[in-house]
Structure formats: structure tokens, C-alpha cells
Amino acid sequence: MEVRTRFAPSPTGYMHIGNLRTALYEYLIAKHNGGTFILRIEDTDQGRLVEGAVDVIYQTLRMTGLKHDEGPDVGGDYGPYVQSERQGMYLQYAEELVKKGKAYYCFCTKERLDSLKEANGEGEAFSHYDRHCLGLSEAEIETNLKSGIPYVIRQKMPTEGTTTFHDAVYGDITVENSELDDQILVKSDGMPTYNFANVVDDHLMHITHVVRGSEYLSSTPKYTLLYEAFGWDEPSYVHLPPVMKDAHHKLSKRNGDASFQDLVEKGYLPEAIMNYIALLGWSPASNQEIFTMEELMEQFDLSGLSKSPSIFDPVKLTWMNGEYIKNMDFDTYFEKVQPYVDAALNNKALDQKAIAALLQKRLETWADVAGLVDFFDALPAYSTDLYVHKKMKTTEEIALDSLKAALPVLEGLETWEETAIHDALMALVAEKGIKNGQMLWPVRTALSGKPTSPGGAIELAHILGKEETLRRMQTGIDLLEAGK
């Protein structure tokens, strides 16, 4: 049997991390088994729809490489793939259950349902509908329907015994049927409820695996009973524990936690985000942490899923993102980083490719670029304390001496190439009988004005150019002499 999975988001705005993890696992289950990955837009809750949210879904799937085989934009044999476009088919399935005695019409008004809550002496909301309409005769039902009285269709739950379903993560789960409420299948506006539309669509689209959050475990017995009522085969369930911000709080956009779009805007690579998300609840058989999508497709297995919630660790994600940047081939890397370098530099005459080369091993996210290259435009104000470096064995006196010796040597260079700059400074080191760092650290500090920089004295001098290099070195000399 072909494995068929579906990612079925509601178009309510951003793509949160838990939702994206569900999409990834659905995709990996399908591709690991040579199956089909489907996109279905679930827009039955019209009140929560957000304009442009469908475009966010398409854009996210495109950016993450989760290419769907069937969906609203690519078609397929089981469309439409938007639930609101399938609206006409749900009522007939609900009416089929009515005929089978597995569902019934309910004509109760909102006022009556509200009164049930008020009738509770403890002031608590009722947990079960009281089946007031279950006993209506066929004649009463027919009269109400002909009169146009608004109605819903409710699932008739068994009141005795138990219902058991199997989950790939949590195993067999059994509930008492007496705990189950007669859930609404079709609302008074004719739209199906989320649970009912899911079951009908999953059956009609031949879905074999359903991946969703563990918060849906309590709803699953109702799904099981619907499949039994129709006489349909039930899919395999994979319920995932939540992704947590910390030990006590779930990730939540309302609490300021980042969505996928937020992370991309903060400078994270989609590939790194997906790699990290794959490990939020799944452990590979090996100790490998960095995966290509192809490797994930090959190695992903349901047996590696955990029952325990996963904590989203921005530090780990940032490290992983840095590893992705470091391991890019330079042409790919430069294509991605160049817009950030260009945006960060006012001086467009500087060699952006040379600057980018210095950054590659130092970046963790693209957002780091601006803070690492700002000194190329303008030398920041700095203290002469920066010239003192224990490891380099420099003091302010040594730094001043080295800069004063290096300035005329560099000024006399006929060609401003890295090799020429290097050879001139190294010859000066040998002549003075000092350590390399006692020359190079003061020059690097004078050129950057920072305690750290992407590149050493020679690379910075070459990029800044002869005139600017000499100007900054003279500034350093003046600062050191003023502090004497």
C-alpha cells in the first residue's frame, strides 16, 4: 500500500515551529517510504482566517524544500485540496451516519444550550450535551427541516464500553465511552467541524499516516468511532509531544517566541532551521547532528520519536546555523551573504567578496554581519587599552614603537597586495627582533579599533587600501602618544 501523508494547516497567519515540525515529519514519513506528500488547506473555521496566510504556507514550504506532490496549486486526483471548496460533500456523509443511527439532527438553540450551563448548580459548564434531540421522531425531524429551523448534526457516541486506538508514539490508548460527548459534525451554517472534515477528507484522499500534536489525543477516540461508523480503514496515528520554550511553557507567538518567518528574518538559514526542528522529538540511530534533507529522508524512522516534550534551544540552533554557513561552498555562501554585506557598508568601493571571505568562519547568523563589518566604513572611538594583549606580549609602549616603525615601511610600498604587505611587516619583525604578534596586533588594532575583527592586520590593510590604512595607523600613533 502506498504511504500517503498530508500537511493540513489552517491559514491563520504565521508558521509556528510545532506546525512546521509536523509538516517535516509528514514529509519524511512519505519520502522515506517512497510515498506521496499532500498539502490540504483546512479553512472550515472561517472566523480565524487571515488574509495572505495561504501565501505564507506556500512560501514556507518552498523555502524549506518540503515540496508537496498534490495540493491546491499543483492539483492531483483527490481534489479540491481546500476544505471550503469541498463543502458540498460533507453534509451527505453526515446524513449517511444519521441513516445508520450513528448521528442525529439537533435543533437546540444557543439559548437552550446556554441554559444547560446555568442549570448546573456548581456553576460549571456542562461537559456533555443532554441528548435532548436524540428522541425526536422522524415526523418531528421532518417538520423541523421543512420549517427551516437551524440545526447541527451530532455524532451519537456509545455510552458503554471502551474505545481503543493505537498511536506510534504513545502506544495503545483506551478511553471510557461514557466520557465522550456527542460532538457536532456539521454546524448550522453547513460547514463541517474540524474533526469531521478531517476524517472525511483523510479517507477520500487515502491518507495512511496522520501526524499531529499530542493535544489531539483526547479527540482521537471520536475519530476512531467515526471510522468504525463508516466502515472505513483508520490511518496510523503519530501524536507528537509539544515543543517547549522551557520546562513549563510551550512555544507561543503570543509570548514573543519566534515563528519560522521570524527566524529567517533574524538571519537563520531555512536548511539549518529544518535540521534543528527534525531533532526536536526525534533521535537518529547515530550521533549525527548535521543532516541534509536527503539524509533525513533516508534515516527518519518512527521508532526514533520520543514521548517527552522538546525544549527549543536558540543557542543550539545558532550553533547549527553557524556550522551550515562554515560548510557552504564559497560561491553559494557569497550569493547569500552579499546582500547583508552590501546593506551594512556605506563604502561601496570596498571589496565585498574579500570581506565576505573573512566572515565565513565567524558568522553564526546573517544578522551578525553588520556588527562585524561596521569598522570598515568608519574607525570607531576606542581606548588605547586595546593595544595591551597578554598573549601577544604587547604593551602600549611596544604598540607605539611598532606602529611608528611600520608606518613609513608600508607608506613606501609600490604595490598594495597582501603578499607585499605581509613581506614588509615580517621583514620589519625580523629586523627589530620581536615576535610576530608584537607587530601585527598593534596594526590590526589601529585598523579596526575593536578587540576582535574578522581578519588580521594584513587582510584588513589590503581591504582598506593604502591611504586609509596609513591614516588609521597615524590615528593610533596619535592616541598612544597622547596617552603617554
Side-chain angles (χ1 to χ4, degrees):
M1 180 177 63
E2 179 194 19
V3 170
R4 291 174 59 84
T5 66
R6 49 66 168 176
F7 177 48
S10 297
T12 55
Y14 65 94
M15 182 75 74
H16 62 76
I17 296 302
N19 210 17
L20 188 54
R21 181 184 65 169
T22 298
L24 174 60
Y25 287 0
E26 294 267 18
Y27 178 83
L28 295 177
I29 290 170
K31 297 309 173 183
H32 180 77
N33 293 283
T36 300
F37 175 62
I38 299 161
L39 172 64
R40 186 173 76 219
I41 303 299
E42 299 198 336
D43 59 348
T44 55
D45 191 347
Q46 297 286 302
R48 295 180 61 232
L49 304 188
V50 174
E51 185 176 354
V54 172
D55 291 333
V56 170
I57 294 167
Y58 288 141
Q59 180 186 34
T60 302
L61 293 180
R62 207 163 38 241
M63 291 176 67
T64 56
L66 302 183
K67 184 178 179 181
H68 47 287
D69 304 297
E70 300 175 20
D73 55 335
V74 297
D77 295 335
Y78 302 97
Y81 293 91
V82 178
Q83 281 188 337
S84 60
E85 296 174 11
R86 302 168 64 85
Q87 183 175 353
M89 69 179 67
Y90 299 113
L91 182 58
Q92 70 184 62
Y93 284 100
E95 289 175 339
E96 179 183 333
L97 292 181
V98 172
K99 291 176 183 177
K100 290 183 174 183
K102 302 294 185 179
Y104 59 95
Y105 294 100
C106 175
F107 299 91
C108 289
T109 62
K110 181 179 183 299
E111 289 72 24
R112 181 179 186 278
L113 296 176
D114 287 343
S115 72
L116 291 179
K117 301 177 187 179
E118 296 171 6
N120 187 310
E122 311 243 336
E124 297 176 359
F126 66 92
S127 59
H128 288 66
Y129 172 63
D130 65 358
R131 291 189 161 182
H132 174 75
C133 292
L134 180 58
L136 294 177
S137 67
E138 288 187 18
E140 290 174 307
I141 294 171
E142 188 66 25
T143 299
N144 287 345
L145 292 175
K146 286 182 177 180
S147 300
I149 297 175
Y151 67 89
V152 300
I153 296 179
R154 291 182 180 272
Q155 183 179 1
K156 181 183 176 184
M157 296 295 184
T159 56
E160 298 178 348
T162 61
T163 296
T164 300
F165 67 93
H166 179 77
D167 181 73
V169 177
Y170 293 90
D172 289 336
I173 296 179
T174 300
V175 299
E176 296 290 333
N177 290 332
S178 59
E179 297 177 1
L180 303 177
D181 187 24
D182 287 359
Q183 68 172 342
I184 294 173
L185 303 180
V186 175
K187 295 176 283 189
S188 57
D189 61 1
M191 289 293 283
T193 57
Y194 177 84
N195 288 342
F196 186 57
N198 259 263
V199 168
V200 173
D201 288 343
D202 284 345
H203 169 72
L204 295 178
M205 294 181 182
H206 301 280
I207 301 303
T208 61
H209 293 73
V210 172
V211 181
R212 58 193 180 201
S214 58
E215 65 269 22
Y216 290 103
L217 280 169
S218 60
S219 301
T220 305
K222 301 176 183 180
Y223 285 63
T224 297
L225 290 168
L226 279 174
Y227 279 103
E228 289 180 358
F230 281 117
W232 296 341
D233 291 334
E234 196 170 11
S236 297
Y237 294 115
V238 184
H239 287 88
L240 305 173
V243 179
M244 307 291 287
K245 180 176 184 175
D246 53 42
H248 305 290
H249 302 92
K250 289 183 180 180
L251 280 183
S252 169
K253 180 71 171 178
R254 288 189 298 273
N255 295 334
D257 298 318
S259 66
F260 171 76
Q261 289 85 353
D262 293 331
L263 291 173
V264 171
E265 289 174 6
K266 289 179 179 180
Y268 291 91
L269 291 160
E271 312 93 276
I273 297 171
M274 298 306 287
N275 188 157
Y276 180 68
I277 288 176
L279 302 176
L280 288 175
W282 174 73
S283 298
S286 66
N287 292 323
Q288 183 176 348
E289 288 189 296
I290 306 297
F291 291 88
T292 63
M293 187 61 75
E294 290 71 23
E295 289 172 330
L296 285 172
M297 287 162 54
E298 180 182 345
Q299 297 188 38
F300 187 82
D301 188 87
L302 293 177
S303 63
L305 295 175
S306 171
K307 296 179 183 178
S308 302
S310 302
I311 294 180
F312 185 87
D313 182 359
V315 175
K316 182 67 176 287
L317 171 60
T318 301
W319 166 81
M320 186 171 285
N321 199 72
E323 293 300 301
Y324 268 80
I325 293 174
K326 291 180 180 68
N327 292 320
M328 281 183 183
D329 70 83
F330 184 77
D331 289 342
T332 301
Y333 158 74
F334 183 65
E335 181 182 351
K336 293 180 181 292
V337 78
Q338 192 273 334
Y340 296 91
V341 175
D342 185 64
L345 293 173
N346 293 320
N347 186 353
K348 305 303 182 184
L350 293 171
D351 186 342
Q352 293 189 5
K353 186 166 282 190
I355 293 173
L358 296 182
L359 297 176
Q360 186 168 10
K361 300 301 181 184
R362 294 169 174 81
L363 290 175
E364 290 187 310
T365 74
W366 301 135
D368 298 338
V369 170
L372 289 172
V373 304
D374 55 356
F375 71 90
F376 281 108
D377 274 327
L379 184 67
Y382 66 93
S383 166
T384 55
D385 291 344
L386 288 183
Y387 286 103
V388 180
H389 196 295
K390 186 175 181 181
K391 184 178 179 181
M392 298 296 178
K393 301 186 183 303
T394 59
T395 62
E396 291 184 14
E397 291 76 15
I398 291 173
L400 178 60
D401 183 65
S402 292
L403 287 177
K404 292 176 75 171
L407 185 63
V409 170
L410 295 181
E411 189 174 13
L413 289 179
E414 294 183 3
T415 59
W416 196 254
E417 300 296 334
E418 282 195 26
T419 301
I421 298 168
H422 172 275
D423 292 348
L425 291 178
M426 289 302 99
L428 191 55
V429 166
E431 177 186 322
K432 295 179 69 65
I434 60 177
K435 295 183 177 298
N436 291 356
Q438 291 176 306
M439 176 61 66
L440 298 181
W441 181 261
V443 174
R444 189 213 64 79
T445 301
L447 298 185
S448 70
K450 287 192 166 191
T452 61
S453 63
I458 297 164
E459 295 96 337
L460 298 187
H462 181 244
I463 291 170
L464 287 167
K466 184 175 183 178
E467 181 180 349
E468 182 65 11
T469 293
L470 298 179
R471 188 189 71 79
R472 292 189 183 198
M473 288 177 65
Q474 184 60 59
T475 299
I477 292 170
D478 293 344
L479 283 172
L480 287 164
E481 286 186 331
K484 290 179 65 176

